[in-house]
Amino acid sequence: MTDYHDQQPTVLVLDFGAQYAQLIARRVREARVYSEIVPHDISLEEIQRRQPAALILSGGPASVYAPDAPKMDARIYEAGIPILGFCYGMQLMALDLGGQVPHTDIGEYGFAELVVMEPECRLLDGVPESSQCWMSHRDSVGSPPDGFLVTARTTVTPVAAMEDPERKLYATQFHPEVAHTAFGQQIIKTFLHDIAGIPPVWTMLNIIDETVGRVREQVGDGRVICALSGGVDSSVVAALLHRAIGDQLTCVFVDHGLLRLDEADQVVRTFRDQFQIDLVHVEAEERYLSLLEGVTDPEQKRRIIGEEFWKVFFEEATKLEGVAWLAQGTLYPDVIESGNKTAAKIKSHHNLIPFPEGVHFDLIEPLKALFKDEVRAVGSELGLPDEIVHRQPFPGPGLAVRIIGAITREKLDTLRAADAIVREEIGAWDVDRSVWQYFAVLPDIRSVGVMGDERTYGHPIIVRAVASADAMTADWARLPHDLLARMSNRIINEVEGINRVAYDITSKPPGTIEWE
Ligand code: XMP
C-alpha cells in the first residue's frame, strides 16, 4: 500500500484479530522501525516478496482450538525471519511447532507478576527478575515445542515467555505492547534492534524526505489542490506538499463562519503569511448562515454544512486551471480495518469525495501510512505552530454542533467569546495536555438571574472538559474548583447575555463528548 517498505527495513505485524495490532505497529514505530499490519493468512510467497526484517504475531480473541481459529502459513516459521509472537500468536506458534496448549480453563486477566527464570535469555535481556506484566488470556502453553527454552512464568501461567534463538523464534504470553507491562517497550526494542538487528532509522526526517520524493515523482509538474480546514491532518498535508512541490500547490480554505475565535485568521496567517502557500480563503459565512436559518435538527445541520462544503470547494477548484490532483489527509488507521472475522483487511478505498458531474481529480494521500502521533511529529518538524499540531479534535460542522437550536450570528459570537475563555483558562492550567478536549456549549434555554440590581433573563453556558484516550469513551475532567470558579466569573462578566455557567459531569457513555 505504500512504498516505505521498499526503502526501509520493515516489520510486518500479522493480525489475528486483536484490538492490539495497531498498538503493536505503533510501538514498533516508536522504536523507530517502520511497520505495517497484514492479514494473518498472508502467504510465504508474499512474505518473501516483501522481505520483512522481522514478523510479529499479534494476539487475538479466538481460542486456538476454535473451529474457525485464524491460522498462518506454517512454512513462514522456517523462513529464517525473526518472529515474535504475543498471546494468541505464542499459542499458535507452540501448537504449530509441536508444543502443547492444554485447555486449562484458568485464564489470567490484568496485572500479573512476571518472573524471569533464565537471566541469560535473549528476549528478556535486562528485564529484572520480577516485574509487572499485562495478561489477557484463557488458554496458555503447557509445554513448548522442542528446541524452545521457557524463560519466564507468572503465578498462574507456567510458560509466560519462550524462545528458540537458533530458529529466531520468540514469544510472550503477556502483552509487551500495552503500557501496563513495565518492560514491554524494552522487550520490543530488544527484539527489533538486538535480535533482528534492525537499526532504529525510522524518523520524522526520513518520513518527510521519502514522502517529498514520492510526491514529486507522482505529480511531476502537475498542479495539486488541497482542502485546508486548519485541522491537524489537512494542515500537515498542506505543509508537506508545499515542501515537495512549492507553488504547484493551491489550498482552498472554506471558511463556513462556524470556527472558533481567531481560528480563520490563524489559518490564513500560518499558511499564506508564514508558509507563503497559494491560499484561496473562501469567506462563506453569509451563505452558510442563510442556509442554516431556522434549522434546529442536528442531523439536518450536519447535512447542510457537509453538502455545502463540497459545493463551495468545487466551485473554487474548477476555477483553477490545469489541476489534476486532489490531496487528502487520509491516515493509516483510516486505511486498515480489523476485518469482522480476524484479518486486517485493507479497506476498499472508496472515494468518499462527492465529485460533481463531469469533475474528477486523482487523489494523492501523503499521510496514508502514518499514525496520528507521527502526523503531529511531521507537522512540528515542518514548522507548523503548536496550536495547529496539538489542536484538539474539532467537529467539521464546527460550532454548529455546539449551539443547540437555531444558529444565528449573535449566538455564534456569544459562544465564541465564552469558548475562548474556557480554552484560555483550561489551557493555562493544563500545560501537559492531560485533558483530551474542552469547550463551551450554548444551549437553547434561558433562565432568570440577577446582576447588580437588575433581573436578567439570559442563556447559560455549559462547560465541557473530558479525559479520554481515543474519544471512544471519556470521563468528565476533575477540574479544580478554583479554575471552574474563575471561568464562571469571567464568562458571566465578559460575555454579554450569559447569566449562568454549568459544568457537565457526564461520562461517555452514557453521554457523548459533544452536545448537539
Ligand atoms: P462524540 O460527541 O460522538 O464525539 O462523543 C467523539 C469525538 O468526535 C469528535 N467529533 C467530530 N469530529 N467531525 C469530526 O471531525 C465531526 O462531525 C465530529 N463530531 C464529533 C468530537 O469532538 C469528539 O472528539
Side-chain angles (χ1 to χ4, degrees), residues 302 393-397 402 436-437 471 508 512-514 516:
R302 279 180 178 274
F394 184 63
R402 295 178 183 169
W436 170 266
Q437 227 175 329
K508 171 184 180 176
T512 51
I513 294 177
E514 301 287 345
E516 286 195 43

Side-chain angles (χ1 to χ4, degrees), residues 311-420:
K311 237 187 246 170
V312 176
F313 178 80
F314 284 115
E315 274 173 25
E316 295 302 322
T318 46
K319 282 185 203 160
L320 302 167
E321 299 270 308
V323 178
W325 298 87
L326 174 60
Q328 228 193 336
T330 314
L331 306 194
Y332 194 42
D334 304 326
V335 179
I336 39 170
E337 176 181 48
S338 250
N340 50 7
K341 275 183 78 187
T342 47
K345 291 188 188 126
I346 300 302
K347 277 185 193 171
S348 55
H349 215 68
H350 44 242
N351 185 351
L352 293 171
I353 300 174
F355 287 118
E357 194 74 19
V359 174
H360 180 79
F361 297 99
D362 287 329
L363 289 183
I364 176 163
E365 300 174 299
L367 309 180
K368 78 173 180 191
L370 304 185
F371 288 110
K372 191 86 177 188
D373 38 0
E374 294 174 314
V375 170
R376 290 191 212 278
V378 166
S380 293
E381 195 63 49
L382 289 168
L384 287 171
D386 265 10
E387 302 92 86
I388 289 182
V389 169
H390 293 288
R391 206 173 88 133
Q392 296 180 18
F394 184 63
L399 298 179
V401 301
R402 295 178 183 169
I403 291 176
I404 315 302
I407 294 162
T408 63
R409 177 167 298 132
E410 293 67 39
K411 284 188 189 170
L412 280 166
D413 287 340
T414 302
L415 180 57
R416 264 194 276 266
D419 184 70

Side-chain angles (χ1 to χ4, degrees), residues 465-478:
V466 295
S468 176
D470 53 11
M472 301 297 284
T473 62
D475 196 7
W476 57 279
R478 304 310 198 253

Side-chain angles (χ1 to χ4, degrees), residues 495-511:
V495 185
E496 178 134 4
I498 301 299
N499 64 353
R500 210 176 273 273
V501 175
Y503 186 50
D504 183 352
I505 52 169
T506 319
S507 61
K508 171 184 180 176

